[in-house]
Structures are given as structure tokens and as C-alpha cells.
Amino acid sequence: MSAVMRFSQVRLTAKAVSSGMSARSLASVMGPQIRYFSRSSYAQKSFPDHQVINMPALSPTMTQGGIGAWGKKPGDNIQPGDVLVEIETDKAQMDFEFQEEGYLAKVLMESGSKDVPVGNPIAVLVENESDVAAFADFTIEDAGGAKAAEAPKEEAKEQPKEEKKEEKAAAPKTEAPQKKADETPSKPLERVAASPIARRIASEKGIPLTQIKGSGPNGRIILKDVEAYKAPAAAAASAPAPASASAGVAFTDVPVSNMRRVIGQRLQESKQTAPHYYVTSEISMDKINKLRAALNAQADGKYKLSVNDFVIKAAAQALKEVPECNSAWYGEFIRQHHTADISVAVATPTGLITPIIKSAEARGLASISNSMKDLGKRAKDGKLKPEEYQGGSFTISNLGMFGVDSFTAIINPPQSCILAVGATKDVVVVDPTSEKGFKVEPKMKCTLSSDHRTVDGAVGAQFLKSFKKFMENPLALML
């Protein structure tokens, strides 16, 4: 079997693994962007048989990505299931896992490379270890990557001479310095290679990754490097004067990740295009608190219910009663979902992500609780698969653990609604049965943000009424 045929398939841990589709099948469905190999016949120079590995599309919306830490270096053997490289997608940082044998001959995109278009060459794979040395001088131009980038320039050169004359006549003198500025090469921001857990701990401790020396593969920063880090006291003590002189302009420029860029674009689009309105309800938490304590007391370690688990279940049940809120706006039509796939906002070191509790209306509280804990942990570690956070029909954002009384959330398009959950607070309420005439009762405020294109105000109010009914009578959730 030839090298071309031998390396014709690849598996991603992120998408389509569960469906058993091969890369060849995916290419026929999703087009050329899902192809990760290029044939070697294009190379102008003479190289042994090889395959060029292209930037993969690890999500349906991914058009470009960043290169994280390489799990292999040139000359290393690759076995099925090995992690070749970390890819920063528009949703999360994910492992690119290989399912073929071979040897990594050349890395074409170093760690820290950003905005690499899907389909561009990133590495070279060979069948025989003896062929690795022949690729020492192999470049991205040899792989055909530079031609795609230079295509616009070539088209510009082929313009008619008359157009060039018109441009010269119309061009003002101020274009000369502008041209010099354009010719100045922009230096890309360097990305530090670090494991997800190392990033999270460093972020929590306020440790800059650029000051840590990694001991992992290819200098990758791992957890023990962060734990062993000590701030350079001598350097801090030696420069007090310059710090005071520049105190008025002290700041840090943080590079924008693909994930943060997409979050910003989507939320800006949502706020500008979806006509938001908000309805708020105050809910008594007395019965839920008692039921939760009773159920956790007899859990025997099998589960530990949180208030958010009850919120997810109650929202799913309310969506069954008010299905208009379980919908999405698609311009020409409104899609009404038949299952309550609840997206739950989780904060991670790299940004917000929304893992999904699927078919929450058909699941018990213990199942919801255990799934949410697993999804939340893997979300913070950057280990979620695309199908675990893409989609969803309704979103819940809970800031109650931070002591926030109430807030309004931005709708996650194309969904129609998002429920903002605040903290539980003790409130004095009227109680005719008490000698004092009042009592202290735990209350929680929830605010529903709705898209008025799909959900009218009265419908949003009906949802909150139904949600409150289930929250204040939690035994109905057990039926």
C-alpha cells in the first residue's frame, strides 16, 4: 500500500468520532476544509514520499485557528491516539489527535502561530524514519502554503496599465509615508505553550506565563512549573524609580484569543440585532432548600445536588409548558425545539463556554447534577467535544455563587431566551400565621432575557410563572 493511501484517514477527538465517520466521508459532507492531508505531487523540489498535514476544522464555524503546544517534535514516532498538537479554535483549545502511524518530519507552524486558515499546511508526515532528515530544509512554500497567500498580489499585478495610470493620477502625495508604514512587517504576538490546568492555576495566582520556564515536551509549561515558580524579588527591588516614572501609563496588553474574539463578535451581534426585553421574578427557596438537604443526606456519595441542578430541571419543565421560549430565530423561519437542551454558562480561564445538558426534561436531578459536574470540570480543563457545547435551545447563567442579587444576561444567538439567576437572600415577608406578623424567608431573583422577534412579552411572563411554580413546589419535579 502506498504512503498516500496509508495516510488517507485521520480521526478527531472533537467532531464526528462518535458517529464513526472517516475523514474521507466528512470531506464529502463538509467540503475541502475538513481535509487534513495534501498529496505530495505539488512540491517543486525532490522529497521522499510524504503527506502534508493541514490545519483542521475542529468545529463547523471554524475558519482559522491558533497553534498551541506541539505534542511531538520532528523525528518522533506517531501512534494511533497520540496528541499531535493543541489547536485553539473559535470555541475552545482542543487536542488534535491522530489515528495513523508515521513520523513527524517537519513542523511548519510553530507554537504561538495565530489566525492560521483552515486547510493551510502545519506539518509534514512520513512513513519511514530514515526520510525525516530529508525534510530539514522543507518550507511552507514547498507545501504550497505561500501560493495561496500571494494570490491577491499576483492578481493586483495583472491589472490593466490604464487602471494603474488612473491610480497614479488620483493618488495624493500622502500615500508615500503610508506605503512605508504598510511595508513594515507586523510581528505576531507570541503564544506561550502551556497545559490547560497550568494556564488556569497561573491565571488564578496572577503569574505571567512568559516568566515561567517549561519542563514539558518542547518547553511546554505544565502544572509543576507553575507551582514551583517564584517571583524574581531582586528584579522587582532593583527598579523602583522607572516604575514610579511611568506609573501614569502602567498597563498590560493581553492578546485576544480566537475564543475571546468570537465571544465578543457573537454577543455584540446579539445585542445589536436581537430586540432584548427583560422580566424578573422573585422565588421562594424555602421548600427547595429543605428538599435538597434531605436528598443530599441520603445520597451516600452517589450525587450532591446544587441549587443550579433544580434550576436546570425547573427550566426544562417550564419549556415543556411554554414551548415558544424553546425556540430559535433563523430570519426566514422560527425553529421550535422538541427537547430542552439546556446550555449552562461556565467561566473558564480562556473565556465563557456553555456545555449542554441534553433532554433535561427527561432526566432526573441526580443525572443532571452528575453530568453538570463532569461537563463543568472538562470545560475548565479545555477537554469538551464540540457536540457537548455547540447547539442548545435555552441558556442559564448563574452568578448567585458570587453574591450577585440580580442581573440581565445577553441572549446566546440563535436562541430566544437566557435565564439570569441571582443569589439566595433572606428576606422579611408578611406572615399572618406568626405572632410577630412576619418571618424571614430565603428568596432568589431570576431575570429572563427574551428576543421579542420570537417571544412576546406575555409569553415570557408565562414562562417565568411556570418556572416559579416548579421552583416553589419542587416535588413536582420528581414526577
Side-chain angles (χ1 to χ4, degrees):
M1 182 181 293
S2 69
V4 172
M5 293 299 293
R6 188 168 298 183
F7 297 115
S8 62
Q9 293 182 340
V10 67
R11 179 174 70 88
L12 299 177
T13 56
K15 185 77 175 173
V17 176
S18 58
S19 64
M21 294 178 69
S22 67
R24 190 185 298 265
S25 300
L26 282 172
S28 65
V29 176
M30 297 185 67
Q33 69 174 12
I34 203 68
R35 295 169 59 194
Y36 309 106
F37 289 114
S38 298
R39 303 177 74 92
S40 57
S41 58
Y42 51 77
Q44 297 177 357
K45 301 176 185 177
S46 178
F47 292 100
D49 288 340
H50 62 281
Q51 294 292 331
V52 173
I53 305 171
N54 297 325
M55 170 63 86
L58 300 186
S59 74
T61 58
M62 179 179 170
T63 58
Q64 59 187 19
I67 303 294
W70 283 92
K72 300 289 182 179
K73 61 181 183 296
D76 284 355
N77 178 251
I78 301 175
Q79 292 294 324
D82 287 353
V83 174
L84 180 62
V85 64
E86 290 180 350
I87 300 292
E88 182 187 345
T89 74
D90 57 344
K91 301 289 186 182
Q93 186 162 310
M94 305 171 65
D95 291 335
F96 181 27
E97 187 176 294
F98 241 57
Q99 282 301 106
E100 298 296 331
E101 294 183 50
Y103 291 88
L104 183 62
K106 183 74 174 182
V107 171
L108 300 175
M109 285 290 175
E110 297 295 335
S111 296
S113 300
K114 287 186 173 293
D115 300 332
V116 180
V118 167
N120 269 28
I122 61 173
V124 178
L125 189 73
V126 295
E127 180 182 4
N128 302 313
E129 185 177 9
S130 58
D131 293 335
V132 172
F135 291 85
D137 297 327
F138 192 91
T139 65
I140 196 168
E141 287 79 10
D142 295 323
K147 291 181 179 179
E150 292 175 359
K153 295 182 180 179
E154 292 177 0
E155 290 178 5
K157 291 179 180 179
E158 293 175 359
Q159 290 179 353
K161 294 182 179 179
E162 293 181 3
E163 291 185 7
K164 289 185 178 180
K165 290 180 180 179
E166 290 177 2
E167 288 176 2
K168 289 181 180 179
K173 295 181 180 180
T174 54
E175 282 194 2
Q178 180 64 37
K179 184 177 180 182
K180 291 181 180 179
D182 292 342
E183 290 175 354
T184 304
S186 58
K187 191 175 182 180
L189 292 170
E190 186 175 353
R191 183 180 182 280
V192 180
S195 66
I197 186 66
R199 287 184 182 279
R200 180 164 63 87
I201 299 301
S203 177
E204 291 174 354
K205 293 184 177 182
I207 301 174
L209 290 174
T210 53
Q211 296 184 14
I212 303 176
K213 185 176 181 181
S215 61
N218 298 325
R220 184 188 190 195
I221 298 172
I222 57 178
L223 179 59
K224 71 176 184 178
D225 299 327
V226 178
E227 294 175 339
Y229 172 80
K230 292 182 179 179
S238 63
S244 61
S246 60
V249 291
F251 57 83
T252 301
D253 291 333
V254 180
V256 178
S257 66
N258 284 339
M259 184 177 179
R260 173 58 59 188
R261 184 183 294 111
V262 170
I263 290 173
Q265 290 172 349
R266 286 176 61 82
L267 294 184
Q268 181 183 28
E269 176 190 356
S270 174
K271 198 66 175 175
Q272 291 178 342
T273 61
H276 288 54
Y277 73 89
Y278 313 96
V279 287
T280 302
S281 182
E282 193 172 49
I283 297 167
S284 172
M285 298 295 290
D286 190 39
K287 291 182 180 179
I288 273 189
N289 288 346
K290 291 176 181 177
L291 178 60
R292 174 172 166 253
L295 292 174
N296 285 338
Q298 60 185 26
D300 196 25
K302 296 179 181 178
Y303 57 83
K304 186 177 181 181
L305 302 179
S306 68
V307 170
N308 209 45
D309 300 328
F310 284 90
V311 171
I312 294 171
K313 181 63 177 177
Q317 294 299 107
L319 288 174
K320 286 180 64 178
E321 293 191 351
V322 190
E324 293 88 349
C325 290
N326 198 30
S327 61
W329 173 263
Y330 283 94
E332 298 299 321
F333 60 91
I334 297 172
R335 176 171 295 167
Q336 195 168 108
H337 298 281
H338 296 160
T339 58
D341 296 335
I342 307 295
S343 304
V344 182
V346 174
T348 72
T350 56
L352 195 68
I353 195 167
T354 53
I356 302 169
I357 300 293
K358 296 184 178 180
S359 300
E361 81 284 356
R363 302 175 64 172
L365 287 165
S367 172
I368 290 174
S369 179
N370 292 334
S371 293
M372 194 62 242
K373 287 179 175 63
D374 172 60
L375 290 169
K377 182 180 183 302
R378 289 193 288 117
K380 292 178 180 178
D381 292 339
K383 299 298 183 182
L384 287 180
K385 298 176 181 179
E387 61 266 25
E388 292 176 320
Y389 59 81
Q390 290 178 356
S393 60
F394 184 93
T395 299
I396 292 173
S397 179
N398 191 339
L399 295 181
M401 67 286 294
F402 299 106
V404 175
D405 291 337
S406 64
F407 67 104
T408 56
I410 301 175
I411 297 168
N412 183 21
Q415 295 176 11
S416 295
C417 299
I418 181 171
L419 185 67
V421 181
T424 299
K425 302 279 187 179
D426 287 336
V427 178
V428 177
V429 298
V430 175
D431 182 12
T433 62
S434 172
E435 293 183 1
K436 298 179 180 179
F438 65 88
K439 66 176 181 178
V440 176
E441 187 173 69
K443 296 273 192 178
M444 181 178 74
K445 287 184 178 180
C446 294
T447 300
L448 181 72
S449 304
S450 300
D451 185 343
H452 219 313
R453 295 174 299 182
T454 54
V455 180
D456 292 333
V459 176
Q462 288 172 12
F463 171 85
L464 265 192
K465 181 180 179 180
S466 178
F467 175 75
K468 181 174 181 176
K469 175 187 70 176
F470 285 111
M471 289 291 288
E472 294 186 343
N473 297 280
L475 288 176
L477 299 174
M478 317 290 287
L479 299 177

